Amino acid sequence: LTHATVCVKCQLKLRRENKPYPTCPSECRSIVKNVYTSKRLTLRDLPGIWHYNWLPVKKPSDYAQRSVTYKSKYFSKELGLENLYVSFTGFWPEVKAYVGTGTFKELEAVVAIQYAKENGVNRLISASAGSAARAFAYIASREKFNVVLVIPEKVTEEMVVPMVDEKYVKTLAVRGDYCDAITYADKLHDSTGIAHDGGGRNPARRDALGTILLEAVEKIGFMPNHYFQAISSGAGAIATFEAADRLVGDGRFGKVYPKLHISQNEPFTPMVKAWTARSRTIESCDVEPENVLDVIYAKVLSNKKPLYGLSGGVFDALEATSGEAYGVTNREAEDTSKLFERLEGIDIHPAAAVATASLIKSVDQGKIGPKETVMLNISGGGLRRAEKELGKQRIPITIEVDKDSPPEELRDILHENLS
Ligand SMILES: [Zn+2]
């Protein structure tokens, strides 16, 4: 076996079952992570993410994309940084980036679906505020794999992908916010038995995100001193920490973890507030406002139940790397988006603009030396180019429901639509 899945809290090696990922029988509710037999990073002669060995699947799919890291010339000069590396996941042919749905969620969907297929799961429910639903719709259509997507009704306008096959993709729009969509997805799982992909809890999804650091380290030659990313569930930050931990174990790329610099979009910054107070608990008042999707620029950064205080979560990753956290206003993010596009030549996803704005703040606050190596995770970009060159299809909404619809009703509605 290439890997074991382990509960971070009780260290139990978990049994592999016909599930999207193994869970701890002791109700630890902690992160479960993959521990790979090979402690060395192996660069395989395979395309896309499959180039890296630390993925929990037996066979690569024919998906051939991955993130692309390049050394910034113009934006770095603006910031006065000599070693700023941009890790770009999106569509930008000039740098050989061809991720059609334009965000790193696509990598997650690829590995989650491949893992599910290899472990006897033939249908997945996934809840998302946008990017992940688009990624799962596109990849499931390509892979001819069944998914049920649960999204907040407010984001249906943004549900555009290069290609979608309604035969495999069913989409439920919930009248409510992202949290209501997640709750609804759980109800749906309980009433239908269809497996929930688990979001950031799914280690297959996180290891897919981990390839972004692996690709960066392959390009740079060693681990960066600083890592910048905007977070919603926190899966990207946890994934990066886990990948860094494997690289430290390998030993050839440095022994020090990159310092994690995480950011969220004001006024919705529950993890920033908790970490600033060095608290493992998110205060319930910090997951207000109720209408978060109406007030933040980066709508995907609206997860109200992030993977924060639990064992192996964001708090632990920040603690282990002496991390930093930043709140970014809509105005700062939008201005940064324009600045980045003007200097680097590509449009970036709102969440990536939040991360980029936090890098500017960090430099302004003197937290980064001019010669230190910085990795900026541009988690999405090039959507306009992708739509122009790959075409676009709207993901059809199968059903629209109230957030309080009873599960029985859901099951019946679904039954009709799935048969
Ligand atoms: Zn456990």
Side-chain angles (χ1 to χ4, degrees), residues 7-12 14 24-28 30:
C7 171
V8 173
K9 190 169 181 186
C10 72
Q11 301 294 322
L12 187 71
L14 307 174
C24 180
S26 311
E27 301 279 320
C28 287
S30 93

Side-chain angles (χ1 to χ4, degrees), residues 64 89 94 98 100 104 157 161 169 202 204 242 254 256 290 315 386:
T89 312
E94 285 76 10
Y98 301 99
F104 66 1
E157 283 302 302
V161 287
V169 179
N202 183 335
E242 289 170 339
V256 181
E290 179 69 31
F315 181 91

Side-chain angles (χ1 to χ4, degrees), residues 216-290:
V217 166
E218 183 187 5
K219 285 271 167 64
I220 303 169
F222 49 88
M223 268 196 280
N225 303 112
H226 301 277
Y227 171 89
F228 284 81
Q229 197 205 311
I231 62 173
S232 183
S233 71
I238 300 166
T240 302
F241 174 66
E242 289 170 339
D245 195 46
R246 289 174 194 135
L247 289 168
V248 166
D250 178 310
R252 292 174 293 160
F253 307 98
K255 290 281 185 192
V256 181
Y257 297 114
K259 183 192 269 283
L260 297 185
H261 297 257
I262 59 117
S263 46
Q264 297 195 283
N265 194 169
E266 289 177 5
F268 185 74
T269 58
M271 286 186 274
V272 174
K273 285 178 181 155
W275 176 247
T276 302
R278 293 299 183 269
S279 166
R280 196 177 268 279
T281 314
I282 289 174
E283 299 293 330
S284 56
C285 60
D286 290 339
V287 289
E288 292 164 354
E290 179 69 31

Side-chain angles (χ1 to χ4, degrees), residues 39 92 96 127 141 143 213 238 257 291 377 396:
K39 301 298 172 205
W92 190 5
K96 296 189 163 59
S141 299
E143 298 284 327
L213 179 67
I238 300 166
Y257 297 114
N291 61 337
N377 189 335

Side-chain angles (χ1 to χ4, degrees), residues 2-3 36 44 49-50 52-57 111 204 207-208 211:
T2 61
H3 71 282
Y36 290 90
R44 305 185 288 193
I49 51 173
W50 312 114
Y52 306 101
N53 58 323
W54 291 329
L55 289 171
V57 299
V111 181
D207 290 354
T211 65

